[in-house]
Amino acid sequence: MRGWLLAGLLLWAGSAQGAVLKDQDCPYAEAPSTHIAACSRFFRDDEGTGIAFDIAVLTPIQEKSVGTVVYIPGGPGEAPVSEDGLFDDLLMPFSDRKIIVFNPRGTLGTLPRMECDFGALIWKDDFGGPKSQDVLESCIERFQRDGPDPAHFTSLEIAEDIDAMLGALGIVRAGVYGISYGTEAALHLLAQAPRWLDFAILDSVSVPGLSGIEDEITARDRFLEALDIQCFEQKRCPAIARGTARTLSDWAARFDEEPLALYIRDNEKWTFTGADILDYLAQLGAYPDGLAIAKTTLRMLETSRLRAMGWMSADLSANTEFAEQSLPLMLQAYADTFDPSDFQTIAKPTRYARNSENAVRELEFQRLWRGTRQRENAFLDDHAQMVPVPVLVLSGTLDPFTPVEWAEALEVRFSGLERYVFPLLGHALSVGPVTVEGDETMTMQLRCAREAVYAFLDPTLIAGRDCRQYEAGE
């Protein structure tokens, strides 16, 4: 498959919707460096369905808290209240704020969960074929018969959980910070404007109900075009990496003659042709500095192939393990906007070759999952409004997963957004590295993405002139 401190034993009831919190030990392998963590189990009733998930309240160690922010995980499937769920890049902008993190319903350790066991099939190179579809149909029938109802696992329900969670915690004012899929719940909260909402930071925007398959295809080509220009037109990749190829497509075509064999878990062999290699390189846009990583991967495939293959195998294994745990949640998130015409859309030619068979299998999964259910209401179709609180939006032009066009589309629904667009960056900009060796422009853009967050949170700070050039509309 191709393609995320000790507490007491007090039990007490919160004020929101009969919600209950039970203190428990935190699961973190290492304590956060900037905050002290206290964890609890959250329980609430959602129209007869019991919901339970873990929460961590992180209090600044060295500074007095100037406010509270709720981190809304992405994926879907990310579970930050877990052994390795937190990392310093996520916490650093909020070193002077209390941070609430939680495992969204359906993720690790939550109740209920949608589980669909594909066994060894999910590790096959051609996952998504007839056998996998049979397993999925069986799981869908089980959900329909025995539950849980997939309709309980949407970004709107996550937004409602956040509202109830803050009521139970007694928090009267908080901002929200979402990355990728996490921005969908943040957008629902922005539209509903609960009294506690203080601000919103939206990094790599995903818009509820927006079907953007054409945007995703365009964004993929855009990422690969940037790689093509830098490596082959501007010759910023070493000559030994480019070889005799004049373009990225020429370079990738060599793998049609000699496919690259990668061995994943249990020695499962995946074979990569030129189109597969291009698909893999484009997926590196999931990283803020994905363009730099793609250039490094291209170079290593020519100069240190075994090392490159080891890194790629580990990366693909990690992504497959994530999908193994979260595929029903991912289908619930992505299939809701499926339309039969999507098959015609992906059949159209693209500038850079892609594995169309994989794309068709992914859409078949979405078709089966959606069934005859009504499509989600398009978030952008509701009435336009001024944002009720300050909102910061960060986008990378080279993000193939949440294309910059989706953030642009928000202007239809909301006015008053503070929006930045960074031409050389990919996905999840606020948690990117500090520097990219040998690329001053990308390093500056990564710095500016962080600077925009700090300036947004602290009105005494102003983003530098070199960073303000990335503000949309400037």
Side-chain angles (χ1 to χ4, degrees), residues 121-199:
L121 288 173
I122 201 167
W123 293 94
K124 300 293 183 183
D125 193 14
D126 60 349
F127 176 72
K131 290 183 179 179
S132 304
Q133 292 175 27
D134 288 344
V135 174
L136 180 62
E137 287 187 288
S138 176
C139 291
I140 292 171
E141 291 173 1
R142 172 165 51 82
F143 295 148
Q144 292 173 340
R145 182 183 65 248
D146 304 325
D149 183 353
H152 285 288
F153 299 88
T154 71
S155 57
L156 180 58
E157 274 65 38
I158 293 173
E160 293 175 351
D161 285 343
I162 293 170
D163 186 56
M165 174 182 71
L166 292 183
L169 289 169
I171 293 173
V172 298
R173 197 71 176 163
V176 292
Y177 166 45
I179 300 178
S180 192
Y181 181 69
T183 64
E184 291 202 12
L187 285 170
H188 284 302
L189 290 167
L190 197 59
Q192 296 167 3
R195 299 174 72 175
W196 54 260
L197 187 62
D198 192 21
F199 63 82

Side-chain angles (χ1 to χ4, degrees), residues 334-347:
Y334 304 148
D336 200 68
T337 57
F338 168 80
D339 189 278
S341 65
D342 290 344
F343 286 103
Q344 285 72 49
T345 300
I346 65 171

Side-chain angles (χ1 to χ4, degrees), residues 192-254:
Q192 296 167 3
R195 299 174 72 175
W196 54 260
L197 187 62
D198 192 21
F199 63 82
I201 299 175
L202 310 177
D203 180 353
S204 306
V205 171
S206 179
V207 181
L210 176 63
S211 180
I213 191 167
E214 290 193 34
D215 294 332
E216 292 171 348
I217 293 171
T218 298
R220 174 189 181 274
D221 271 351
R222 188 161 54 224
F223 180 92
L224 292 173
E225 181 182 22
L227 178 61
D228 199 354
I229 290 172
Q230 289 210 1
C231 265
F232 295 92
E233 182 178 318
Q234 298 177 352
K235 296 181 171 53
R236 294 174 64 179
C237 290
I240 192 172
R242 302 191 309 271
T244 59
R246 300 182 62 183
T247 66
L248 178 62
S249 294
D250 291 342
W251 176 85
R254 289 181 290 176

Side-chain angles (χ1 to χ4, degrees), residues 33 112 116 156 177-178 198 208 212 217 231 243-244 253 274 310 336 341 355 358 360 366 390 397 434 443 452:
S33 61
C116 189
L156 180 58
Y177 166 45
D198 192 21
I217 293 171
C231 265
T244 59
D336 200 68
S341 65
N355 188 322
N358 283 340
V360 168
Q366 293 186 24
T397 301
V434 177
T443 294

Side-chain angles (χ1 to χ4, degrees), residues 40-63:
S40 56
R41 184 77 167 171
F42 177 76
F43 304 87
R44 69 176 286 245
D45 177 80
D46 181 9
E47 298 180 350
T49 297
I51 305 296
F53 55 84
D54 292 338
I55 300 172
V57 177
L58 309 173
T59 304
I61 294 175
Q62 297 183 344
E63 301 184 52

